[in-house]
């Protein structure tokens, strides 16, 4: 089938880098909602359709570029210095 010319583009909130594009609508996209489980999203557009999309395994397996902080203020992967 035909693929619409309108697309949903995803950007990293902090780094503002594009990491995904999904095409499919035939009109401007007005609504977007991500499933609470983080594995899919729905988009609604002026073409009258609501489309359900599922993220690829590569997106779901993508490593978070920002290290998590441990409870004692240390970042993940950091070693404590002997004087601490």
């Amino acid at each position: 089938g035909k693929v619409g010319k309108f697309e949903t583009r995803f950007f990293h909130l902090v780094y503002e880098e594009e990491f995904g594009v999904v095409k499919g609508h035939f009109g401007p996209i007005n609504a977007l909602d991500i499933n609470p489980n983080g594995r899919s999203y729905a988009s609604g557009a002026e073409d009258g359709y609501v489309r359900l999309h599922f993220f690829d395994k590569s997106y779901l397996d993508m490593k978070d570029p920002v290290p998590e902080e441990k409870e004692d203020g240390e970042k993940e992967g950091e070693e404590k210095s002997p004087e601490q």
Side-chain angles (χ1 to χ4, degrees):
K2 292 173 76 177
V3 175
K5 295 180 181 178
F6 292 84
E7 58 190 21
T8 305
R9 298 169 62 195
F10 291 91
F11 291 84
H12 190 283
L13 183 65
V14 175
Y15 298 112
E16 299 178 355
E17 295 172 350
E18 183 176 305
F19 63 85
V21 176
V22 178
K23 296 180 181 181
H25 283 287
F26 293 95
I29 298 166
N30 298 329
L32 183 76
D33 195 23
I34 297 177
N35 187 323
N37 72 13
R39 295 180 180 184
S40 61
Y41 71 96
S43 59
E46 289 184 21
D47 59 8
Y49 290 97
V50 172
R51 298 187 183 275
L52 301 177
H53 310 269
F54 294 88
F55 291 112
D56 293 336
K57 183 169 175 24
S58 62
Y59 168 78
L60 298 173
D61 294 340
M62 187 170 54
K63 188 168 182 145
D64 185 357
V66 180
E68 297 290 325
E69 286 197 16
K70 296 180 181 178
E71 289 182 26
D72 59 6
E74 235 181 271
K75 291 193 188 241
E76 197 173 289
E78 283 184 348
E79 301 271 333
K80 275 190 173 182
S81 60
E83 62 271 356
Q84 290 182 340

